[in-house]
Amino acid sequence: MNRRSLLRSLGTLIALPLLPSCSRATEAETAPAAAAGASAIVPLNKPHEEWRGLVSAAAYAVLFNEDTERAGSSPLNDEKRVGTYVCAACYLPQFNSAAKFESGTGWPSFTQPIEGHVATSKDYKLVWPRTEYHCARCGGHQGHVFDDGPKPRGERWCNNGVALVFVPESQALPALRG
């Protein structure tokens, strides 16, 4: 850890008690994406508990309790077909397969999401701030975005595989569920 990182971490520790709760993006945080021409996604007003019977226990833990699956455990790591990755809860498309790349982290990684289909918030669970992202429709936690991805964007959207369902190009996307 270099001096700058250490000072930044200490500054975050000092500021933490002064920060508001950051568990989910507010309407103001998602508005810029809609204003920038992204399709307007209407968030669902559905209690998290109602998703429990619609997704696996592991997916529920990640999506609605912000758990993290074990690195290397997702079959989506090896998925190479052309298609779309959709939210495992509400089926909103999150990523196109063209944006997927091998990051070596053990989690499916993408260079960018489908515009307007994810919302972000700051996550301070590991002390230093990270950018969490979640489905713009159901609010399900997907993963975190980092600035160590490939050029030109330099972003790595690191996703929990259980939070996604892969739909091959040869199949129709499932109807959104809510």
Side-chain angles (χ1 to χ4, degrees):
M1 177 180 281
N2 64 31
R3 184 174 155 178
R4 179 178 288 158
S5 296
L6 178 62
L7 290 173
R8 188 177 303 141
S9 295
L10 289 174
T12 301
L13 277 174
I14 293 167
L16 260 174
L18 306 173
L19 295 171
S21 174
C22 299
S23 64
R24 288 281 178 247
T26 64
E27 196 174 319
E29 289 175 294
T30 57
S39 59
I41 301 298
V42 178
L44 295 173
N45 187 17
K46 182 174 186 162
H48 290 169
E49 185 61 35
E50 290 184 22
W51 293 106
R52 190 176 295 278
L54 299 174
V55 298
S56 70
Y60 185 86
V62 167
L63 289 161
F64 301 109
N65 292 329
E66 299 181 6
D67 203 357
T68 300
E69 70 183 350
R70 188 172 40 84
S73 65
S74 175
L76 294 182
N77 288 335
D78 298 323
E79 184 58 67
K80 305 283 191 251
R81 295 175 290 170
V82 175
T84 304
Y85 295 84
V86 302
C87 174
C90 72
Y91 296 154
L92 180 69
Q94 303 286 295
F95 298 96
N96 291 315
S97 61
K100 189 170 187 277
F101 73 100
E102 177 52 56
S103 66
T105 61
W107 289 279
S109 296
F110 303 87
T111 57
Q112 65 186 51
I114 295 173
E115 188 175 351
H117 287 209
V118 301
T120 62
S121 61
K122 289 294 180 193
D123 170 351
Y124 292 90
K125 292 180 186 121
L126 296 180
V127 181
W128 59 90
R130 300 183 298 170
T131 302
E132 174 204 4
Y133 65 95
H134 48 278
C135 177
R137 189 163 177 267
C138 71
H141 171 77
Q142 294 289 324
H144 292 87
V145 62
F146 301 97
D147 63 1
D148 59 358
K151 292 182 182 202
R153 291 175 60 101
E155 297 171 352
R156 174 173 53 95
W157 295 77
C158 187
N159 218 98
N160 288 282
V162 296
L164 294 172
V165 172
F166 177 72
V167 181
E169 181 181 49
S170 61
Q171 294 178 11
L173 291 175
L176 295 177
R177 66 178 172 187

